[in-house]
Amino acid sequence: MERFQFDATRYDPTRPVKRISFLDIADKGNREYLKKYVKYQLGVTGASVQNIWARTYITKAFLRFLDQEKLAVDKLTAAEIDLYMRKLQEEDVEMITFNDKVAEIHCFFRFLTARGYYSKVPFYPEYYIKRATVPHHYRSVPQNTVTEIFKNLKGLPEDMRLMYLHLWCLGLRINEVCSIKREGYYLKEGVAWLRIYQHKMKMEKVIPIPMLLYRSMMVYIERRKIGLDSYVFQNSKGGPYLSTRYWHEMVDWCNELGIRCGDHVFQTHDYRHSVATALYEHGASIQAIREFLGHKHENMTRRYIDCIQRHVDRSSEQYYKEQKSLASEWKEGSGKDGS
């Protein structure tokens, strides 16, 4: 994939996609349609390479089903597509994952329709899309887990220690941590700031950071002699530290020490929930947390705050206590008046 020389905004160097294979699609005709679809996404759309790669897996799973049924993708009926949709419904996946699969297959057929292989898309995605309240997943890292990691943090290499601090106190995505450049850290009017590019959102964000973290990074950068336009956390070739490598190394390290985080070992994304929850509990507004995390919509930010329902319950309880108290006072007052 590197030979295509994609725009920097479309390619995340911390999670490189080296190739997209089509060899697992047996039917040659179906395989060619998939190649055309991927070429269209790479050449015409502005989607990131990583997103295209991930979505290709959904389309490929559909085409492998067609291989099993000996069906051609350009001659499918609504009934034949319905067979696959019912197969998807039997999978034990979250509602949002199921809906993403339906939406991606619909996009594939929209492409085929635009190219003239169908007069119209042969199925209605609305018939299959699931509609229900999305459950809140409580993913904040337990304090005892954080305490155990900090007690043993000195056993990690310096770069991994500092990367963990960026997760813990800033709630960055791991690919954002891996792609930080030296020029991203700066001081302005006595406040330390970090400027970073968000590959997922395709936009830059600037956030305040603790002065202690800033000073620690300046010592690290000076010792490593990291250039202004260079990645701060580097691999052996000077490129960005791979996000998957960091996750694997942290999982191995936690397993070795017997450190767990609930029902799993270590997830970098859980620290975004922890930071969002901590900010909310200390009085930050939803809007401020949204900007700090780099979300486009407040609804997404609410899904990261694990204490909202607790606050609602507490407020409701306080409200009914006050109403009950007012009612009691009113009743007492009425009795004294003789009414």
Side-chain angles (χ1 to χ4, degrees):
M1 297 297 291
E2 293 178 353
R3 64 188 177 87
F4 286 100
Q5 297 182 335
F6 293 107
D7 184 273
T9 61
R10 296 187 63 195
Y11 197 80
D12 181 357
T14 73
R15 296 186 299 166
V17 176
K18 295 185 178 180
R19 65 182 65 84
I20 297 177
S21 175
F22 306 93
L23 297 177
D24 50 340
I25 308 303
D27 185 281
K28 290 183 180 179
N30 292 349
R31 189 191 311 155
E32 286 303 312
Y33 287 123
L34 179 60
K35 286 182 179 179
K36 291 176 182 178
Y37 180 51
V38 172
K39 285 180 181 177
Y40 161 76
Q41 292 183 85
L42 292 172
V44 179
T45 73
S48 73
V49 176
Q50 280 74 17
N51 282 344
I52 293 172
W53 175 78
R55 290 168 59 183
T56 299
Y57 272 86
I58 297 174
T59 313
K60 287 168 72 173
F62 173 60
L63 295 180
R64 285 196 296 271
F65 168 80
L66 299 186
D67 279 344
Q68 294 172 4
E69 302 295 321
K70 299 187 180 337
L71 296 170
V73 73
D74 59 348
K75 295 181 176 63
L76 291 176
T77 65
E80 289 167 336
I81 296 173
D82 183 68
L83 287 175
Y84 184 70
M85 293 300 175
R86 294 185 184 280
K87 178 177 178 291
L88 285 183
Q89 289 171 342
E90 295 173 359
E91 296 180 354
D92 184 20
V93 297
E94 292 186 7
M95 181 187 69
I96 190 170
T97 302
F98 173 83
N99 289 345
D100 284 345
K101 290 183 177 183
V102 174
E104 173 55 24
I105 294 169
H106 183 245
C107 284
F108 181 46
F109 276 99
R110 285 176 59 192
F111 166 77
L112 295 174
T113 302
R115 289 298 179 92
Y117 301 113
Y118 286 93
S119 58
K120 65 176 183 177
V121 176
F123 77 101
Y124 294 100
E126 297 82 5
Y127 180 77
Y128 300 100
I129 292 293
K130 296 180 180 179
R131 292 172 177 82
T133 303
V134 179
H136 186 92
H137 297 287
Y138 294 86
R139 292 182 53 180
S140 291
V141 182
Q143 186 55 49
N144 63 326
T145 300
V146 175
T147 301
E148 284 301 309
I149 289 178
F150 271 110
K151 282 168 58 178
N152 295 278
L153 204 58
K154 61 182 179 182
L156 285 172
E158 184 181 21
D159 53 356
M160 292 187 66
R161 294 200 302 267
L162 291 171
M163 291 170 77
Y164 178 79
L165 292 180
H166 283 74
L167 295 174
W168 173 70
C169 67
L170 302 180
L172 298 178
R173 301 177 180 91
I174 183 56
N175 64 316
E176 293 172 357
V177 176
C178 292
S179 59
I180 295 173
K181 291 192 173 183
R182 163 63 187 92
E183 62 185 1
Y185 299 96
Y186 65 96
L187 290 174
K188 184 177 181 180
E189 298 178 355
V191 178
W193 298 86
L194 174 61
R195 183 193 308 110
I196 190 166
Y197 184 77
Q198 301 178 101
H199 292 278
K200 184 174 182 179
M201 313 306 294
K202 293 188 178 180
M203 60 185 291
E204 194 175 67
K205 75 172 180 181
V206 178
I207 57 173
I209 64 174
M211 185 61 71
L212 184 59
L213 178 62
Y214 174 81
R215 289 171 178 165
S216 299
M217 290 308 303
M218 293 302 102
V219 171
Y220 173 80
I221 287 168
E222 181 64 27
R223 185 185 302 124
R224 298 288 183 104
K225 294 182 170 50
I226 297 172
L228 194 62
D229 193 40
S230 300
Y231 291 107
V232 172
F233 303 112
Q234 302 178 359
N235 59 32
S236 58
K237 296 181 180 179
Y241 206 108
L242 297 185
S243 56
T244 52
R245 177 190 168 192
Y246 179 79
W247 178 77
H248 281 296
E249 290 179 340
M250 286 299 293
V251 168
D252 290 343
W253 181 72
C254 287
N255 272 327
E256 184 179 337
L257 295 172
I259 299 173
R260 294 194 62 81
C261 180
D263 59 355
H264 57 272
V265 179
F266 180 84
Q267 289 291 353
T268 59
H269 213 71
D270 290 358
Y271 288 88
R272 287 176 66 74
H273 286 254
S274 296
V275 169
T277 302
L279 288 172
Y280 187 79
E281 288 185 323
H282 285 80
S285 66
I286 298 290
Q287 295 79 7
I289 299 171
R290 176 181 63 79
E291 292 183 7
F292 190 82
L293 293 183
H295 290 150
K296 282 187 177 180
H297 306 291
E298 291 178 14
N299 285 339
M300 175 59 72
T301 305
R302 287 189 174 88
R303 292 173 59 185
Y304 278 72
I305 300 172
D306 292 342
C307 63
I308 284 185
Q309 188 58 51
R310 190 161 64 245
H311 278 254
V312 171
D313 293 342
R314 193 181 304 153
S315 298
S316 297
E317 184 179 346
Q318 181 63 29
Y319 172 80
Y320 286 114
K321 279 183 179 178
E322 291 173 357
Q323 294 303 308
K324 186 176 180 180
S325 176
L326 286 171
S328 298
E329 289 179 10
W330 177 81
K331 188 174 182 180
E332 277 184 31
S334 298
K336 288 177 182 178
D337 292 338
S339 304

